[in-house]
Amino acid sequence: AQSVTQLGSHVSVSEGALVLLRCNYSSSVPPYLFWYVQYPNQGLQLLLKYTTGATLVKGINGFEAEFKKSETSFHLTKPSAHMSDAAEYFCAVSDGESGGTSYGKLTFGQGTILTVHP
Amino acid sequence: EPEVTQTPSHQVTQMGQEVILRCVPISNHLYFYWYRQILGQKVEFLVSFYNNEISEKSEIFDDQFSVERPDGSNFTLKIRSTKLEDSAMYFCASSERGNQPQHFGDGTRLSIL
């Protein structure tokens, strides 16, 4: 069974400050990891993904995340927050290819609401 | 950029009534999914669909739920006899292959009265 824990349901930063959203996962097979963002009244938009290879992955809007197997973490960062980054962010995990037959079911964390102050 | 589209955006239904939520996945995608998000809770997987059959389903997806791809473009979720606890945002998603990133629609907010 897989699970995802996002530490902090709300994170507040000042514009220009570092954004750090934490995600820890549990998986019995090598995972694929994703970050999605949800703006009000919209669906989930993919920010970035880790499948295999380079553990530091870059996504859209200046976000990046690092897969740390030893820490079972996939924290999301952005060096300088912008007002437009205010949204809810979801970390998700699915079975990797080595997990055998997998149809891509995503298991989500509970979400972190990011607020950006001027 | 191709999008997943869901209709309606908001559905209000009396308890016990049947409801059908509709989705048009991205045209070259082969894997289809339904998720739901009860207000204040996490997004939960309901079902995945590939090659015209259910490939995986969660405990939530009981006999009251069914999915169908009635033609080459639509993907529907039917709830046979709605309950108050079915009130949630329902998201449809699609991907080219299993474990490829899933593209989500904007959701249908289902309100059961």
Side-chain angles (χ1 to χ4, degrees), chain B:
Chain B
E1 185 177 327
E3 292 182 341
V4 175
T5 56
Q6 290 186 243
T7 55
S9 56
H10 192 189
Q11 174 79 47
V12 182
T13 302
Q14 293 288 330
M15 186 173 59
Q17 295 297 305
E18 175 182 287
V19 67
I20 297 176
L21 309 183
R22 303 182 190 279
C23 170
V24 179
I26 294 173
S27 61
N28 64 332
H29 286 187
L30 301 177
Y31 291 77
F32 313 112
Y33 309 86
W34 284 100
Y35 295 83
R36 80 172 184 189
Q37 185 180 28
I38 295 172
L39 188 63
Q41 298 186 23
K42 61 173 69 176
V43 177
E44 302 172 289
F45 169 79
L46 290 178
V47 66
S48 60
F49 190 86
Y50 169 71
N51 200 25
N52 279 321
E53 60 183 22
I54 290 174
S55 46
E56 189 174 2
K57 61 183 181 179
S58 71
E59 294 174 352
I60 304 167
F61 196 88
D62 61 22
D63 292 344
Q64 294 299 313
F65 291 87
S66 62
V67 290
E68 194 177 33
R69 190 158 161 80
D71 52 43
S73 59
N74 290 283
F75 179 52
T76 62
L77 174 69
K78 182 192 292 186
I79 308 175
R80 205 180 333 274
S81 177
T82 50
K83 303 187 278 284
L84 292 176
E85 54 264 37
D86 294 328
S87 295
M89 180 73 88
Y90 288 80
F91 291 106
C92 174
S94 68
S95 65
E96 282 187 57
R97 301 196 310 270
N99 276 330
Q100 290 297 302
Q102 294 174 26
H103 296 253
F104 284 77
D106 286 345
T108 293
R109 181 169 298 284
L110 178 63
S111 299
I112 307 299
L113 304 179

Side-chain angles (χ1 to χ4, degrees), chain A:
Chain A
Q2 297 171 320
S3 67
V4 176
T5 302
Q6 291 182 238
L7 297 175
S9 57
H10 289 80
V11 170
S12 180
V13 301
S14 299
E15 192 173 20
L18 171 72
V19 176
L20 171 60
L21 305 183
R22 298 178 188 275
C23 172
N24 288 88
Y25 70 91
S26 171
S27 179
S28 56
V29 299
Y32 284 5
L33 294 158
F34 307 85
W35 276 98
Y36 283 86
V37 60
Q38 185 180 31
Y39 298 100
N41 300 315
Q42 293 186 26
L44 299 165
Q45 181 183 2
L46 180 70
L47 271 180
L48 50 77
K49 66 181 188 293
Y50 168 79
T51 54
T52 57
T55 56
L56 181 64
V57 292
K58 296 185 185 300
I60 62 172
N61 302 338
F63 284 93
E64 60 183 38
E66 187 170 11
F67 169 61
K68 291 187 177 181
K69 183 179 177 181
S70 61
E71 298 177 9
T72 60
S73 69
F74 191 58
H75 302 328
L76 181 71
T77 60
K78 181 175 181 177
S80 176
H82 193 273
M83 297 293 289
S84 61
D85 295 327
E88 188 162 17
Y89 292 79
F90 293 91
C91 182
V93 63
S94 72
D95 285 349
E97 294 294 345
S98 61
T101 301
S102 174
Y103 297 98
K105 164 192 164 184
L106 289 172
T107 300
F108 284 88
Q110 57 268 58
T112 298
I113 296 173
L114 175 66
T115 303
V116 182
H117 296 288

